[in-house]
Amino acid sequence: MASNLETLVTVFGGSGFLGRNVVRALCKRDYRVRVAVRRPELAGYLQPSGRVGQVHTVQANLRYPASVEAAVRDSHVAINLVGILAESGAQTFDAVQAKGAETVAKAAAAAGARLVHVSAIGADAESPSRYAKAKAAGEAAVTAAVPSATIFRPSVVFGPEDQFTNRFGALARMSPVLPLIGGETRMQPVYVGDVATAIADAVDGKAKAGATYELGGPEVLTMREIIEAILKITDRERMLIPLPFGLARFQAAFLQFAPGAFKLTPDQVTLLERDNVVSDTAKAAGLTLEGLGISGDSLEAIAPQYLWRFRAAGQFQHNGA
């Protein structure tokens, strides 16, 4: 039986939050990993994910097809994880998540590489959200170029260094009042390690070719329940003020230019108007984490391991603050 060390996997976006976990999962399974990123000189921290020489970083930008083609050359599998939560300059939703996905797919097809593409629950060509529209366009382009591609649509992904639970932890540390946008919108938070395992399973050949999987955690929670859970973990008592979507969108017109945890774009508000959960269709078809034999970890089980840093007295505080 051939060793996985003979299999080269190119990971686009391997230096990001999900990417780091995917690289680590692939290294544990002895794959050779080529990490394609815009700034390889800043991705040296990925080297310890595997043995000496197992991880190699190269320069690639999805807006430049030649760099993508070079990154995929001689690869057996290509994984596209590249996505953005907010637009900035040339990094638009369309350029990155639609045209960028098409560029990776065409390069993979030309190289004869299998393709794993990560999209998002809520990808919809008819969505009022530009983010969701671009994700749908990316899926369509991927399927057209590589019909056998496996597509994963995660719900909101959480874990150390995420831009979701850490954001609310930071806001709760700075403000006695938290705005609640889409308090009754349902989500199915999925642990980053479980998503990485699913992607590695697809590289192993355990996922169905040409199928679209929807990945959600073991619990469906409202936005209010998620924030309340984060407040409980961080031992913070904060007032939640519900904001109507119209007012939230008006505020986001200004907050889209804010730094760090305060940043909020009108498109992100639009996304919060729709539930972000695994569909009944995906469940019936077995195109879920459970369908891959993965028992997902809950927010309650994982988040305390890293959100403790937002407590007033650190790791050992257990009373309200």
Side-chain angles (χ1 to χ4, degrees):
M1 184 176 176
S3 166
N4 283 343
L5 285 171
E6 297 176 16
T7 302
L8 176 61
V9 182
T10 293
V11 183
F12 290 91
S15 63
F17 166 54
L18 175 56
R20 291 190 286 271
N21 287 270
V22 169
V23 169
R24 198 153 43 234
L26 293 171
C27 285
K28 286 181 179 179
R29 303 187 190 201
D30 292 333
Y31 287 104
R32 284 190 297 131
V33 183
R34 178 187 288 160
V35 183
V37 292
R38 288 193 296 159
R39 300 286 300 278
E41 71 275 12
L42 301 180
Y45 57 84
L46 292 170
Q47 300 296 334
S49 299
R51 296 189 294 276
V52 175
Q54 190 177 0
V55 178
H56 177 59
T57 55
V58 297
Q59 197 283 330
N61 187 323
L62 267 55
R63 292 187 291 113
Y64 298 94
S67 70
V68 174
E69 291 163 9
V72 175
R73 192 172 297 134
D74 300 322
S75 296
H76 300 88
V77 186
I79 301 174
N80 182 24
L81 307 175
V82 181
I84 54 175
L85 296 174
E87 297 175 308
S88 176
Q91 295 293 101
T92 64
F93 292 137
D94 186 58
V96 175
Q97 296 173 174
K99 293 176 182 174
E102 181 178 29
T103 298
V104 173
K106 286 183 174 179
R114 289 193 291 121
L115 178 62
V116 178
H117 176 73
V118 175
S119 182
I121 287 180
D124 180 1
E126 304 301 319
S127 173
S129 160
R130 297 197 318 279
Y131 171 91
K133 273 185 179 176
K135 283 290 189 183
E139 289 185 9
V142 164
T143 302
V146 186
S148 62
T150 299
I151 297 174
F152 286 114
R153 290 177 167 184
S155 182
V156 60
V157 181
F158 71 90
E161 302 171 335
D162 70 26
Q163 293 184 47
F164 180 59
T165 58
N166 283 286
R167 175 182 185 171
F168 289 110
L171 285 173
R173 184 168 59 184
M174 293 183 281
S175 172
V177 176
L178 294 181
L180 180 62
I181 304 168
E184 300 311 308
T185 299
R186 300 183 308 143
M187 298 188 174
Q188 203 166 341
V190 59
Y191 174 48
V192 66
D194 295 327
V195 178
T197 296
I199 292 169
D201 281 352
V203 175
D204 283 347
K206 296 176 183 175
K208 295 178 182 177
T212 298
Y213 287 77
E214 297 186 10
L215 309 180
E219 294 179 311
V220 172
L221 303 169
T222 64
M223 194 66 179
R224 176 185 287 276
E225 289 171 334
I226 291 171
I227 295 177
E228 287 175 344
I230 293 169
L231 290 174
K232 181 179 179 182
I233 291 168
T234 57
D235 285 321
R236 301 281 184 179
E237 293 181 2
R238 297 292 182 258
M239 183 180 294
L240 300 182
I241 305 296
L243 278 188
F245 286 114
L247 178 57
R249 197 172 288 107
F250 174 76
Q251 290 190 350
F254 303 95
L255 291 175
Q256 62 184 317
F257 305 109
F262 290 102
K263 186 179 182 71
L264 178 69
T265 71
D267 199 72
Q268 288 169 348
V269 174
T270 299
L271 281 172
L272 286 170
E273 293 186 56
R274 293 190 178 185
D275 289 343
N276 197 275
V277 298
V278 174
S279 68
D280 291 336
T281 302
K283 291 176 186 175
L287 300 176
T288 59
L289 277 181
E290 293 76 14
L292 288 168
I294 300 170
S295 298
D297 285 305
S298 68
L299 185 71
E300 183 182 21
I302 298 293
Q305 298 174 26
Y306 62 90
L307 287 181
W308 60 262
R309 66 194 182 92
F310 293 108
R311 295 174 184 163
Q315 190 171 5
F316 303 104
Q317 179 172 338
H318 294 287
N319 60 308

